[in-house]
């Protein structure tokens, strides 16, 4: 049996013990990706859930959702995964020739659609939209990364710049770096996004201070800081919604 057909929930491992992984069919119907897509529409699903629908089954040691999420994390999101060749994909743990072919076909069709239609920029009307855009990728990173989304007057993301890797504190991050691309591209507003590798997105005192100073600097530069979103493991928080660092 190859990796395209394995989908066991109890798998023998060294020492006679078993590793547990939840299969899609064992999940409540309201939580299954296919049913949620049918009932709520594709916009309600994360990138990992949409990818899981394409893959259909997991491997002997991973559920299909875990497999999808690990692929996205390992290759830094959909763009990185889409750059892999068929040969690259069949070498990935949990993928066989069938799954590799399906992924290549899916990404190729997406590229052909983009070739015949004007490129649509992602819309961010809320922190939930920010999480949908970056959450699947950033929640699995093993160190903090701070990114800046450049947003135009139509709430479209025109560019994403990664400005820092490491502890996101005021002593480490230069405020000028947060606005460098926005100034260069004449962007009217930005959104700050960073992850907490611990999985807990609760803002730290440094997060609040950094946000407050960034908002003040933005006022001077006439570049509005729309929000600062912190991404954890399956959770996220909006500093703006919490009233932290933003004027009430």
């Amino acid at each position: 049996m190859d990796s395209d057909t394995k989908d066991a929930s109890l798998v023998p491992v060294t020492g006679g013990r078993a590793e547990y992984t939840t299969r899609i069919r064992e999940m409540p119907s309201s939580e299954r990706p296919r049913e949620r897509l049918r009932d709520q529409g594709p916009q309600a699903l994360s990138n990992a859930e949409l990818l899981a629908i394409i893959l259909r089954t997991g491997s002997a040691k991973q559920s299909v959702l875990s497999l999808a999420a690990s692929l996205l994390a390992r290759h830094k999101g959909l763009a990185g995964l889409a750059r892999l060749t068929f040969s690259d994909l069949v070498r990935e743990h949990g993928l066989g020739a069938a799954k590799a072919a399906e992924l290549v076909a899916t990404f190729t069709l997406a590229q052909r659609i983009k070739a015949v239609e004007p490129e649509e920029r992602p819309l961010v009307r809320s922190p939930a939209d920010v999480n949908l855009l970056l959450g699947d990728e950033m929640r699995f990173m093993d160190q903090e990364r701070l990114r800046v989304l450049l947003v135009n007057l139509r709430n479209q993301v025109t560019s994403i710049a990664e400005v820092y890797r490491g502890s996101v504190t005021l002593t480490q991050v230069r405020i000028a770096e947060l606005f460098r691309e926005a100034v260069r591209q004449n962007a009217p507003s930005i959104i700050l996004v960073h992850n907490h590798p611990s999985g807990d997105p609760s803002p730290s005192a440094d997060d609040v201070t950094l946000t407050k100073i960034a908002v003040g600097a933005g006022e001077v530069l006439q570049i509005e800081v729309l929000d600062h979103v912190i991404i954890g493991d399956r959770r996220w928080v909006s500093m703006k919604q919490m009233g932290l660092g933003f004027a009430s």
Side-chain angles (χ1 to χ4, degrees):
M1 181 181 293
D2 66 22
S3 60
D4 278 350
T5 58
K6 294 177 182 176
D7 192 24
S9 59
L10 285 173
V11 180
V13 294
T14 303
R17 299 176 61 189
E19 183 176 294
Y20 179 77
T21 178
T22 303
R23 296 177 293 184
I24 291 291
R25 64 174 175 267
E26 294 172 345
M27 299 170 63
S29 59
S30 61
E31 296 180 12
R32 298 173 189 170
R34 286 183 184 175
E35 283 74 7
R36 289 182 58 226
L37 185 148
R38 179 195 64 202
D39 298 335
Q40 303 175 36
Q43 69 279 357
L45 275 65
S46 67
N47 288 342
E49 290 172 317
L50 291 170
L51 185 59
I53 290 174
I54 296 171
L55 295 174
R56 299 189 316 283
T57 60
S59 68
K61 294 184 178 180
Q62 282 184 298
S63 70
V64 66
L65 281 170
S66 176
L67 173 61
S70 64
L71 284 170
L72 290 170
R74 192 155 55 248
H75 298 289
K76 301 180 180 180
L78 285 172
L81 190 60
R83 284 193 288 268
L84 299 182
T85 64
F86 178 86
S87 297
D88 294 330
L89 287 168
V90 293
R91 287 195 292 267
E92 289 288 325
H93 178 74
L95 298 184
K99 283 188 173 69
E102 288 162 358
L103 289 177
V104 170
T106 299
F107 288 128
T108 301
L109 285 171
Q111 291 168 357
R112 291 180 181 179
I113 290 172
K114 289 179 67 176
V116 298
E117 293 185 358
E119 181 177 357
E120 293 187 9
R121 292 169 171 167
L123 289 174
V124 285
R125 297 191 178 96
S126 69
D129 291 336
V130 175
N131 180 62
L132 282 173
L133 182 63
L134 295 176
D136 281 336
E137 177 184 358
M138 295 187 71
R139 71 164 54 103
F140 293 105
M141 293 175 173
D142 58 5
Q143 62 177 329
E144 288 191 39
R145 300 194 188 189
L146 176 61
R147 293 180 175 178
V148 178
L149 276 60
L150 275 57
V151 182
N152 64 20
L153 294 174
R154 297 180 179 179
N155 292 104
Q156 296 172 315
V157 177
T158 60
S159 181
I160 301 175
E162 184 165 291
V163 298
Y164 194 75
R165 296 186 184 186
S167 298
V168 178
T169 65
L170 188 60
T171 57
Q172 300 290 337
V173 179
R174 295 180 59 216
I175 295 299
E177 290 298 320
L178 300 182
F179 294 92
R180 182 184 299 277
E181 281 301 306
V183 170
R184 189 177 71 83
Q185 298 186 35
N186 197 29
S189 55
I190 64 172
I191 298 173
L192 307 181
V193 187
H194 85 275
N195 64 305
H196 280 179
S198 67
D200 181 1
S202 302
S204 67
D206 280 330
D207 294 336
V208 176
T209 301
L210 177 63
T211 303
K212 185 175 182 179
I213 293 176
V215 169
E219 291 174 353
V220 173
L221 295 169
Q222 296 185 319
I223 299 173
E224 183 180 6
V225 179
L226 296 175
D227 206 342
H228 184 175
V229 178
I230 303 175
I231 294 172
D233 184 10
R234 299 186 181 278
R235 293 189 295 145
W236 55 267
V237 298
S238 159
M239 301 281 282
K240 184 109 178 244
Q241 288 183 346
M242 298 178 73
L244 298 175
F246 291 84
S248 57

